[in-house]
Amino acid sequence: MSTTTSRTAASLTATAPTAPPAPPVRPVSRPGLRTAWMMTASGWSANQFSSLLGVYRSELGLSESAATGLVAVYVLGLVPGLLAGGPLADRLGRRRVALTALAVNLLSTGVLMAGTADARWLLPGRLLTGLGAGALLAAGSAWVKELSGPPFAPGAAPGVAARRPGLFVSAGFAAGGLVSALIAQWAPHPTVLAYVPHLLLAGGAWAAAYGAPETGGGPAPSPSPSGWDRARFRRTVLPLAPWVFAAPTVGFVTLPGLVHGLSGRHTVYAGVATAVVPGAGLLVQPVARRLAARHRLATAATGLAVVTSGFVLAAVVVPDARPLPVLGTAAVLGAGYGLLLSCGLTEVAALAPPERLARVTALFWTAAYTGMFAPYAVTLLSGAFGAASLMGAGAVLASVTCAAVVGPGRR
């Protein structure tokens, strides 16, 4: 009886229809990548104006002091944007602040385009550019970092989330300056057309990020039991932060201005330098990952050593200032920038608790942007000391910073 029953069951099992195959699993949306394009728009807006300074001088009659002042106005808007954007993102949410900041960034480019008809629009345009970019760096960096790791990206490799904002900002720095320079050199109406790529990029980035989920804000979370490591921030992050932008701005602002014999191609050469410096920073990211896996401060030590080497090379090539050696030196300074930016963002992500991530990130970016005054310091002091001597002084200061950061960290 049992044998008959077993055969009947086996027969029924064999003839029963098989279950339909499970539908293919669609890849989960990657909100970290979708929102990261906002950071590219921020970096693009920072450098697109610099490539047009020569055009503004020739077509609108801006003086050298007026052009330099417009560059400084960007920083005047950037710092309040950073210092306000971080706390607001922690309190109101990353998504709301980042999307609003990107909208301001988009508006600022439209205002700059109006400067073609009336140069008085350039001042508010640059101020809005800094304000929007600052708030976007603070809120967007935290948002992208959180969306690039668990639970939104369960399989993300360690460190990817912390480095992603810096990678996309660097891509914007590189592309924005180069594209604007090419348009300024060869396209008609450059003070209008050079801004169109950023309008398209920022608009597309806003649309891509709009559907991404919120990761912060709402009721204030209970503070982390251990707080956050302020001493480590002061000891490691603050000393290296100014070199994050001091090195690259010397590479694509100071050094190209010293080159002679370009036969009317100064704008294109400056644009190429603007792309080479952050481009080198992108290329060294695999090295930064391997260094970070070896020791927490290995990336900082190597980055400051590379910056020191870049300033030494600058002291050597400045007297002749030939195009190719200057470009190679700028690439070395850019590699140092990439290592230090990766280290800074990784350190901030490690020491800041979630309820303070945006504001600590804002503090890092604020300290980093103080390095943008390095080219102006070189300009002011070069008459008294000479550019080569100042490059040598930069090498000494970078090596002292390396010793100050690495020594306490080893202990």
Side-chain angles (χ1 to χ4, degrees):
M1 182 69 177
S2 60
T3 303
T4 305
T5 304
S6 300
R7 290 176 179 173
T8 304
S11 177
L12 291 173
T13 302
T15 58
T18 57
V25 178
R26 295 184 179 181
V28 179
S29 175
R30 305 178 72 181
L33 284 175
R34 286 165 48 199
T35 52
W37 291 104
M38 298 189 308
M39 311 307 295
T40 304
S42 175
W44 190 295
S45 70
N47 273 1
Q48 63 179 349
F49 181 82
S50 301
S51 300
L52 299 174
L53 288 178
V55 178
Y56 283 125
R57 293 189 193 100
S58 60
E59 293 190 3
L60 300 183
L62 288 184
S63 64
E64 185 67 31
S65 60
T68 304
L70 287 171
V71 174
V73 165
Y74 169 79
V75 180
L76 292 179
L78 182 87
V79 173
L82 282 166
L83 296 180
L88 285 174
D90 285 334
R91 185 164 58 249
L92 303 178
R94 285 67 158 114
R95 182 179 183 275
R96 184 187 305 180
V97 177
L99 289 177
T100 302
L102 183 57
V104 172
N105 193 247
L106 189 60
L107 173 65
S108 69
T109 293
V111 175
L112 288 172
M113 293 173 75
T116 302
D118 189 343
R120 288 176 294 184
W121 285 105
L122 296 177
L123 180 62
R126 287 296 287 169
L127 190 65
L128 285 173
T129 301
L131 188 65
L136 188 53
L137 283 172
S141 293
W143 196 23
V144 172
K145 184 262 177 188
E146 290 167 341
L147 289 174
S148 300
F152 301 98
V160 169
R163 288 188 292 266
R164 179 167 286 167
L167 292 175
F168 278 77
V169 166
S170 297
F173 286 148
L178 179 60
V179 171
S180 297
L182 294 176
I183 292 174
Q185 185 72 51
W186 285 297
H189 312 295
T191 55
V192 174
L193 292 181
Y195 293 115
V196 172
H198 179 257
L199 291 178
L200 298 175
L201 173 63
W206 198 94
Y210 182 78
E214 179 60 86
T215 60
S222 57
S224 299
S226 59
W228 69 285
D229 196 342
R230 291 178 174 83
R232 178 171 158 186
F233 183 82
R234 290 193 299 266
R235 185 175 61 245
T236 302
V237 179
L238 283 183
L240 68 81
W243 295 103
V244 170
F245 284 129
T249 51
V250 167
F252 66 72
V253 174
T254 301
L255 296 182
L258 301 175
V259 176
H260 304 288
L262 293 174
S263 304
R265 295 291 185 265
H266 289 85
T267 300
V268 171
Y269 183 82
V272 170
T274 304
V276 163
V277 170
L282 287 171
L283 291 176
V284 299
Q285 291 309 304
V287 178
R289 288 195 296 271
R290 288 195 292 269
L291 289 170
R294 292 177 57 189
H295 189 277
R296 183 175 64 82
L297 289 178
T299 311
T302 306
L304 288 167
V306 172
V307 168
T308 301
S309 303
F311 276 102
V312 170
L313 286 174
V316 173
V317 304
V318 157
D320 291 334
R322 289 177 295 175
L324 288 180
V326 166
L327 210 58
T329 302
V332 174
L333 291 170
Y337 148 81
L339 292 170
L340 293 180
L341 180 60
S342 175
C343 175
L345 289 174
T346 303
E347 283 287 291
V348 167
L351 61 88
E355 70 273 9
R356 288 182 175 270
L357 177 60
R359 68 188 70 190
V360 178
T361 302
L363 290 176
F364 164 71
W365 283 115
T366 302
Y369 266 99
T370 61
M372 290 193 69
F373 291 101
Y376 307 107
V378 172
T379 300
L380 291 174
L381 298 174
S382 59
F385 300 99
S389 298
L390 292 173
M391 297 299 108
V396 172
L397 290 174
S399 63
V400 170
T401 304
C402 184
V405 169
V406 176
R410 287 182 182 273
R411 290 195 295 270

